[in-house]
């Protein structure tokens, strides 16, 4: 069998607010690098083909499945994982707390991915209908919760951040 | 780790062309949502890749001096949908690509990748065919433009020549002027599913909104590559806007399409939804154009 040329490259990016630098194998996915080099274990390996959303991270504010993103592409990017949402003393952010309160977590495998998509939704500052929220959350699979509680957690946090009363369904 | 032999990262378009000439066997990778998945599946295992992901000059939508709408090949689906020029001139394209996969795939996937993969079910493809899009390719001899219908050679194969990369999709002014369209993706699931059939119709009406000046319709998954239904288009041109016309137009698409049996749907069923989708998309396009029927 033909030998692969092993290629390494140094990438610089901002991870959860901190500038970082790492030499990575060009064959690595961003999931590999975040988990193995930075111990960002909230970034889950589910399907590894872009279908399930477990590996979702924010790149320059947009949700990307990091399993189909090369680590070397992170050069110059601002990357956020669930770990970046915690307060200085490990306090949960509002959206994480809402997932707890609404029982939107069972096994938790899908949760970090969902929460980062929720962060993109919330940071848009817009008010969405339930149908719009469902569509915006549709890139994630959850085997446990049945999605309703997840939708409620996101919706509740959206109204809270908008300073509005949540309409009673 | 991806099973790749080597990765070459292009710095700009000229560099991408040079890399293409230096490594003719290498595959181009843009957003990677097809390439990396196929590499994982083993279909592209062990290949060399030329990454054009870093070519920010190929991102974004702009209007050229002669009114041509220019969509850079690396523009992602979500950026197309949000773009004000797209919303103003070819809103249906933004709506069509808003039905690709799920939100993360729409941030990752590019319109260049969606056309260069040569896939008949690609959600942008039928609309781009229906609007006579022009594909811009840049290679060692400079820029070459080609109508999208000629760009597709056969299933999975497009006309990208030695040293070339696709740099833009162009929509000419005559194509979008006073033109309104609608896309229907028929799939089993609302999200994360490939189209069983994609139907894109657009119309331009006369000033009094009573006559169809031009109607165009293209399908994805009605043949090995996306295709136009010219018989239906010719039938509708110059006719008064009526419900009967919508019905006749829809029936006429059967003359030009040739869907196949697959595990997703039988040929007869695809034929049926093609007629029904053509009718609904025609009616919706007429309404968007200000017509009544
Ligand atoms: C989970 C999932 C769901 C999906 N759902 C849909 C869907 O609903 N509808 C749909 O249409 N697609 C879907 N796709 C497919 C894919 O996202 C799209 O086809 C996307 O447009 C590919 O773009 P990309 O930039 O990621 O392409 P890449 O994977 O980078 O490239 C795709 C192909 O095009 C070539 N290429 C790319 N850019 C250029 C260029 N500028 N010049 C020359 N060649 C180029 C590559 O060599 C490759 O052959 C899905 C994919 C995944 C993983
Ligand atoms: S692990 Fe990345 S989408 Fe499933
Ligand atoms: S909580 Fe188990 S997969 Fe979602």
């Amino acid at each position: 069998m033909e030998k692969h040329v092993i290629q390494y490259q140094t990438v610089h990016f901002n991870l959860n607010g901190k500038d970082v630098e790492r030499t990575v194998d060009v064959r690595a996915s961003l999931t590999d690098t975040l988990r193995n080099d930075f111990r960002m274990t909230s970034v889950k390996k589910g399907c590894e083909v872009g279908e399930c959303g477990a590996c979702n991270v924010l790149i320059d504010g947009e949700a990307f499945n990091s399993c189909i993103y090369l680590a070397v592409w992170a050069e110059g990017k601002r990357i956020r994982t669930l770990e970046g949402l915690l307060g200085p003393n490990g306090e949960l952010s509002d959206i994480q707390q809402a997932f707890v309160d609404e029982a939107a977590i069972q096994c938790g495998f899908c949760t970090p991915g969902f929460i980062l998509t929720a962060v993109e939704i919330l940071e848009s500052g817009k008010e969405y209908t339930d149908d719009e929220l469902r569509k915006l959350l549709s890139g994630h699979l959850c085997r446990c919760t049945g999605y309703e509680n997840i939708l409620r957690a996101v919706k509740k946090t959206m109204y809270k951040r908008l300073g509005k009363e949540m309409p009673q369904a | 780790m991806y099973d790749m032999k080597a990765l070459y990262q292009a710095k700009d378009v000229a560099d991408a062309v040079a890399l293409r000439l230096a490594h003719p066997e290498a595959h181009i990778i843009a957003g990677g949502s097809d390439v990396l998945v196929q590499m994982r599946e083993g279909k592209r295992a062990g290949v060399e890749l030329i990454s054009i992901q870093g070519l920010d000059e190929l991102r974004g939508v702009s209007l050229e001096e002669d009114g041509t709408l220019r969509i850079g090949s690396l523009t992602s689906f979500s950026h197309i949908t949000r773009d004000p020029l797209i919303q103003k001139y070819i809103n249906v394209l933004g709506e069509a690509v808003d039905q690709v996969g799920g939100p993360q795939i729409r941030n990752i996937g590019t319109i260049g990748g969606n056309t260069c993969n040569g896939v008949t079910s690609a959600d942008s493809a039928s609309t781009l065919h229906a609007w006579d899009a022009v594909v811009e390719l840049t290679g060692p001899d400079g820029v070459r433009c080609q109508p999208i219908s000629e760009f597709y050679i056969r299933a999975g194969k497009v006309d990208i020549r030695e040293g070339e990369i696709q740099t833009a999709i162009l929509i000419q002014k005559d194509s979008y002027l006073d033109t309104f369209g609608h896309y229907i993706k028929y799939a089993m699931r609302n999200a994360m599913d490939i189209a069983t059939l994609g139907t894109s119709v657009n119309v331009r009406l006369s000033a009094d909104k009573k006559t169809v000046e031009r109607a165009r319709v293209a399908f994805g998954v009605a043949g090995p590559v996306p295709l136009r239904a010219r018989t239906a288009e010719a039938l509708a041109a110059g006719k008064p806007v009526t419900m009967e016309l919508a019905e006749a137009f829809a029936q006429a698409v059967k003359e030009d399409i040739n869907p196949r049996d697959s595990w997703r749907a039988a040929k007869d069923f695809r034929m049926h939804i093609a007629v029904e989708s053509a009718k609904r998309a025609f009616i919706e396009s007429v309404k968007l154009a200000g017509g009544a029927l």
Side-chain angles (χ1 to χ4, degrees), chain A residues 106-108 110 142-145:
Chain A
Q106 285 182 36
C107 79
C110 67
C142 174
R143 298 177 304 168
C144 308
T145 66

Side-chain angles (χ1 to χ4, degrees), chain B residues 28 30-35 44 77 101 110 114 117 123 166 185 193:
Chain B
I28 298 169
S33 59
D34 284 320
V35 169
R44 297 200 197 224
F77 297 126
T110 68
N114 207 227
N117 64 11
D123 278 306
Q166 191 204 84
K185 175 177 186 172
D193 199 3

Side-chain angles (χ1 to χ4, degrees), chain A residues 44-55 65 67:
Chain A
K44 301 298 179 206
K45 283 196 172 191
C47 64
E48 287 195 85
V49 286
E51 297 274 352
C52 74
C55 62
N65 291 334
C67 69

Side-chain angles (χ1 to χ4, degrees), chain B residues 132-170:
Chain B
D132 295 300
V134 172
V135 176
E136 182 194 272
L137 299 133
T138 304
D141 304 322
V143 170
R144 177 169 76 89
C145 285
Q146 194 179 34
I148 193 154
S149 55
E150 291 167 23
F151 181 62
Y152 282 72
I153 298 171
R154 58 171 190 273
K157 176 82 187 144
V158 293
D159 187 9
I160 299 177
R161 300 178 195 166
E162 207 184 319
E164 284 184 340
I165 66 165
Q166 191 204 84
T167 40
I169 302 274
L170 310 169

Side-chain angles (χ1 to χ4, degrees), chain A residues 2-7 9 25-29 32 45 47-53 56 62-65 67-70 72-73 77 117 120 126 135-141 147, chain B residues 1-9 29-33 36-37 40-41 46 49 51-54 56 59 76 78-79 82 95 98-99 101-108 189 191-192:
Chain A
E2 199 175 355
K3 274 285 277 178
H4 287 200
V5 194
I6 307 279
Q7 276 178 282
Q9 199 172 312
D25 189 319
V26 298
R27 299 170 301 167
S29 70
D32 290 330
K45 283 196 172 191
C47 64
E48 287 195 85
V49 286
E51 297 274 352
C52 74
N56 180 36
E62 296 182 11
F64 276 69
N65 291 334
C67 69
I68 48 171
Y69 192 90
L70 296 179
V72 295
W73 288 344
K77 299 278 193 287
T117 286
E120 186 186 349
K126 291 191 196 133
K135 183 171 178 200
L136 290 167
L137 292 166
S138 65
H140 296 271
L141 296 178
Y147 303 102
Chain B
M1 293 286 163
Y2 281 100
D3 184 5
M4 75 177 76
K5 190 166 159 198
L7 177 73
Y8 311 106
Q9 285 187 273
I29 180 167
S33 59
L36 292 176
V37 170
R40 201 70 98 190
E41 287 168 348
L49 296 179
S51 167
I52 57 169
Q53 167 87 209
D56 286 340
R59 290 183 209 278
S76 67
S78 59
H79 286 228
R82 284 201 293 267
E95 290 174 352
D98 197 37
Q99 297 179 49
Q104 300 98 294
I105 299 297
R106 296 195 283 271
N107 288 336
I108 297 167
R189 273 182 110 250
M192 306 300 280

Side-chain angles (χ1 to χ4, degrees), chain A residues 42-102:
Chain A
S42 73
V43 185
K44 301 298 179 206
K45 283 196 172 191
C47 64
E48 287 195 85
V49 286
E51 297 274 352
C52 74
C55 62
N56 180 36
V57 300
L58 294 182
I59 302 180
D60 290 343
E62 296 182 11
F64 276 69
N65 291 334
S66 62
C67 69
I68 48 171
Y69 192 90
L70 296 179
V72 295
W73 288 344
E75 179 65 37
K77 299 278 193 287
R78 226 163 55 81
I79 294 175
R80 289 158 73 192
T81 68
L82 187 87
E83 286 82 352
L85 297 182
L86 293 177
N89 299 311
E91 303 94 335
L92 295 183
S93 58
D94 56 351
I95 181 69
Q96 290 168 291
Q97 190 61 51
F99 267 66
V100 175
D101 295 343
E102 296 299 323

